[in-house]
Amino acid sequence: MKIIPVALLATLTLTAQGFAEEGQSVFRQPFVMQAYGQLQARVQTALRAKDYTKAQELCEESIKHAPHYPGAHYNLACALALQGKKDEAFTALMKSIDNGMAAVDHLKKDRDLEGLQGDPRFQKAVDASSKAKPRRIWPEKVSPAKAKDGIVVV
């Protein structure tokens, strides 16, 4: 009985990865978000295990699926900060804020970012986060794909 759910999960994950590689479309959202969610769960597991390199890799994979969602960028900033990669961590942190990460209190209290807090860029990130506008739709801009065999998908 357990073989069927695992096979189904693998099929859905591979399908979602294929959709993510093809580009963003509102019709692909359920598949992409499933893969994104699974990857982000694995990121949390890697962070708890202090496997920051693995967490970084999983975040980068998540970003390929949904580059406009702030969560993977934020978690990438955490993984990078925990590795002492400050410049890269600030780049990822600002990308999360640019994509709508507006949780200022969380940002200030997150122990994963303690290594960044003494840097003047951290206060700039906090200020930017207080002005960030969380995204409510996915994706914000929908454009048609290239026509293939006379068919265009939005």
Side-chain angles (χ1 to χ4, degrees):
M1 288 286 200
K2 290 185 180 181
I3 294 172
I4 293 171
V6 171
L8 179 61
L9 181 62
T11 301
L12 290 173
T13 301
L14 291 173
T15 302
Q17 288 172 347
F19 281 141
E21 291 168 7
E22 288 179 27
Q24 304 300 322
S25 164
V26 294
F27 303 112
R28 294 187 183 109
Q29 181 186 12
F31 300 105
V32 170
M33 292 316 298
Q34 180 178 5
Y36 176 86
Q38 290 169 356
L39 285 165
Q40 284 301 289
R42 291 174 59 201
V43 166
Q44 294 305 315
T45 300
L47 287 171
R48 281 192 295 276
K50 300 183 191 257
D51 188 350
Y52 306 131
T53 302
K54 183 67 173 176
Q56 176 184 345
E57 292 168 4
L58 292 166
C59 285
E60 290 166 349
E61 182 72 21
S62 296
I63 291 166
K64 290 177 187 174
H65 287 284
H68 51 284
Y69 271 27
H73 294 285
Y74 184 84
N75 288 332
L76 177 59
C78 291
L80 292 166
L82 290 164
Q83 293 177 71
K85 299 176 180 178
K86 282 188 176 186
D87 291 337
E88 292 175 67
F90 276 113
T91 299
L93 183 59
M94 292 310 295
K95 187 75 170 170
S96 76
I97 293 166
D98 291 344
N99 281 293
M101 203 296 277
V104 176
D105 290 336
H106 180 73
L107 181 66
K108 289 179 181 179
K109 294 175 185 175
D110 193 336
R111 286 190 253 152
D112 292 344
L113 299 177
E114 283 178 352
L116 305 181
Q117 291 176 355
D119 190 299
R121 294 175 287 181
F122 188 76
Q123 187 57 49
K124 289 179 184 177
V126 169
D127 294 342
S129 182
S130 70
K131 298 172 189 164
K133 294 186 175 134
R135 295 189 177 193
R136 303 234 188 284
I137 57 175
W138 187 99
E140 290 187 336
K141 296 178 184 176
V142 177
S143 56
K146 293 181 181 178
K148 183 176 180 180
D149 299 325
I151 299 171
V152 178
V153 178
V154 176

